[in-house]
Amino acid sequence: MYRVPFGKGELTFDLPLDWRGTVVESKIVPPVEDVSAAVAEALANPINSAPLRELAHPGDKVCIVFTDITRASPDYLLVPPILAKLEVAGVRDEDVTLLCGIGMHRPSTPEEKVAKLGQAVVDGYRVSDNEPQNPDMLVDLGTTESGIPLSVNRAAYKADLLIATGIVEPHQYAGYSGGRKTLAVGAAGEAMIAYTHGPNMIDHPGTRLGRIEGNPFHQAITEAAQRAGLRFIVNVVQDDRKRVVYVRAGEPEATFKELVALAKTLYEVPVPQQSPLGVLYDVAVAGVGFPKDANLYQASRAASYLFFAPVPVVKPGGVFIVPAPCGEGAGEGVGERRFLRAMQDAPDVQFILDDARKNGYPPGQQRAFVMAKVLEQNDVIIVGAEDPELICSAKFHAAPTMEAAFAMVREKLGDDLDALIVPHALLTLPIVQPA
């Protein structure tokens, strides 16, 4: 019996009798028993930085950029202790702005702000969303040497002290999320998000899952955060049950570097090589879970993360199975709607690839480009979606149950198959070990 997340619950299933199953999960690290105490310790002993009580001064304007609801960062545990340190330093509540780094996602709802920060914080402080399409709310940070236009939310740029929270985990473009990304993408303008998520960036061999060095995406967000003035971060690493296992705070570069090293020990999992070409399974079951499986835009990452692993885990012509209810359909934000429209309107996936490389695309539509690269070689079946017609209209396949999905795979590939089960595909980075 196998188990994968599904919404806030799970699905259980058995593989067909003639299939061989291999389960790959991130390593087990004891969770932090008292997260509040761990956050307090991190704030009291920041990495390569003075503590907040010395960085902040009476009369300072402070901006804290936090993650939106699509990220599982426990900001309700991170932000209140930061605010308490600022109060001790003499910063007035009215001089603090809490900025939700939505990137090109939809604006956060009042309920989501409360879930992210707690009712007391929402009631007592100014809380707003980034506005990536509002030029009046953005500051131009110039361009990088490679021509990337950089921008940031005006409230973040104008702050005397700029802080960000976040979660460090594998990320398809940045290598690892967290660190500077909450600010540099979450609080950026549309032009910057468009460029950093454009076809040239995604086609670049250095823009890879789990890769930091030589990654142009990572380099761009690092420079954007530096120009914006990011001075302090509080980030966590979580296990596949969203329990905090590490907390660090301090100067962004050094803190992120330490957390990535810790995250690698958790998320990067050796997989025995099955052939000279790599692992090459026939099918992979890629689990997601809440909140990422709330819409197709986010849930589809499970397939692309395994597809873009350092060494592919599914052979060309194989199948990814992604259990996801997708209660929000493709997603409700500008980017999610662009993704869906691109997937639905194109006659085939090759058109998506050719058009993107010739004409580019607006932010959000990069997910269509990424998934077209996956679908060019592999089918993707979404299991348990509330609107299977929408799934199929976006060039995926839909199945009501895991058993129905397996039947679809049998029809395509036959019997006697090798299956990889990755219960937490967004938190597991298969690393091939020589046989």
Side-chain angles (χ1 to χ4, degrees):
M1 181 74 71
Y2 299 96
R3 300 174 184 273
V4 295
F6 187 80
K8 294 183 178 181
E10 64 180 14
L11 287 181
T12 59
F13 61 92
D14 289 311
L15 291 175
L17 292 177
D18 55 349
W19 290 19
R20 293 167 295 279
T22 299
V23 178
V24 174
E25 296 187 88
S26 56
K27 299 182 183 70
I28 297 175
V29 175
V32 173
E33 293 186 4
D34 187 339
V35 177
S36 295
V39 174
E41 171 67 20
L43 289 172
N45 297 283
I47 298 169
N48 200 29
S49 171
L52 284 176
R53 67 177 180 274
E54 297 178 21
L55 295 180
H57 307 92
D60 280 354
K61 302 293 185 183
V62 179
C63 180
I64 304 171
V65 186
F66 65 98
T67 62
D68 75 353
I69 200 66
T70 66
R71 275 30 179 188
S73 176
D75 296 299
Y76 63 94
L77 296 175
L78 307 180
V79 171
I82 296 173
L83 294 172
K85 294 294 184 183
L86 296 176
E87 183 177 3
V88 169
V91 177
R92 298 178 303 177
D93 294 356
E94 57 265 34
D95 287 335
V96 177
T97 297
L98 293 158
L99 180 65
C100 186
I102 64 171
M104 290 298 295
H105 303 156
R106 63 166 173 78
S108 59
T109 66
E111 294 77 15
E112 288 168 349
K113 289 182 174 71
V114 171
K116 271 288 176 179
L117 301 173
Q119 189 68 59
V121 172
V122 172
D123 290 343
Y125 292 86
R126 182 188 306 108
V127 182
S128 60
D129 289 326
N130 183 44
E131 298 182 46
Q133 295 179 301
N134 182 356
D136 292 337
M137 293 301 296
L138 299 169
V139 173
D140 185 347
L141 299 176
T143 60
T144 66
E145 289 186 8
S146 60
I148 301 173
L150 305 181
S151 58
V152 73
N153 185 279
R154 185 172 298 277
Y157 184 77
K158 293 294 185 180
D160 299 298
L161 177 59
L162 181 55
I163 303 168
T165 64
I167 179 171
V168 176
E169 61 188 12
H171 189 272
Q172 187 166 312
Y173 311 138
Y176 275 86
S177 67
R180 287 71 54 123
K181 186 174 177 293
T182 304
L183 167 75
V185 176
E190 182 173 23
M192 177 182 168
I193 297 172
Y195 200 107
T196 54
H197 292 71
N200 291 337
M201 184 71 78
I202 293 174
D203 274 340
H204 193 288
T207 308
R208 300 293 295 187
L209 189 70
R211 179 172 178 174
I212 299 297
E213 300 299 326
N215 182 328
F217 186 102
H218 176 74
Q219 293 167 355
I221 63 174
T222 297
E223 186 164 348
Q226 289 171 346
R227 294 191 190 185
L230 181 64
R231 293 175 61 193
F232 198 91
I233 65 171
V234 184
N235 276 200
V236 302
V237 175
Q238 295 182 144
D239 64 13
D240 55 19
R241 293 170 61 184
K242 299 181 178 62
R243 299 177 300 182
V244 174
V245 295
Y246 301 111
V247 185
R248 297 290 187 273
E251 185 274 325
E253 182 75 25
T255 304
F256 179 68
K257 183 177 181 179
E258 181 168 324
L259 282 171
V260 167
L262 293 169
K264 284 177 177 287
T265 67
L266 180 67
Y267 298 131
E268 297 187 0
V269 182
V271 179
Q273 185 167 314
Q274 291 187 331
S275 81
L277 297 178
V279 180
L280 299 180
Y281 287 87
D282 300 293
V283 58
V285 177
V288 186
F290 181 83
K292 292 287 189 181
D293 64 1
N295 65 58
L296 181 61
Y297 182 98
Q298 295 292 344
S300 66
R301 293 174 186 266
S304 59
Y305 271 39
L306 294 182
F307 182 87
F308 286 102
V311 175
V313 296
V314 173
K315 66 179 63 174
V319 180
F320 292 98
I321 298 174
V322 180
C326 298
E328 294 183 1
E332 299 172 5
V334 174
E336 288 89 340
R337 292 196 299 270
R338 288 171 174 168
F339 153 71
L340 179 62
R341 187 163 56 248
M343 297 298 292
Q344 290 176 329
D345 291 350
D348 51 47
V349 295
Q350 190 60 50
F351 177 90
I352 297 172
L353 297 173
D354 293 342
D355 181 65
R357 289 172 176 143
K358 180 180 178 181
N359 301 312
Y361 45 71
Q365 200 168 309
Q366 80 278 350
R367 180 113 294 268
F369 181 69
V370 167
M371 289 314 301
K373 295 180 77 166
V374 176
L375 294 169
E376 185 182 27
Q377 296 190 34
N378 301 101
D379 286 345
V380 177
I381 303 173
I382 308 296
V383 173
E386 294 180 12
D387 187 350
E389 291 185 4
L390 180 143
I391 300 298
C392 294
S393 76
K395 297 178 174 52
F396 299 83
H397 298 280
T401 63
M402 294 296 288
E403 291 71 25
F406 295 150
M408 295 166 67
V409 174
R410 277 184 178 278
E411 185 175 350
K412 175 182 172 67
L413 300 178
D415 303 322
D416 192 32
L417 304 177
D418 289 301
L420 181 70
I421 295 91
V422 189
H424 301 277
L426 302 185
L427 298 176
T428 309
L429 185 57
I431 304 295
V432 176
Q433 301 293 308

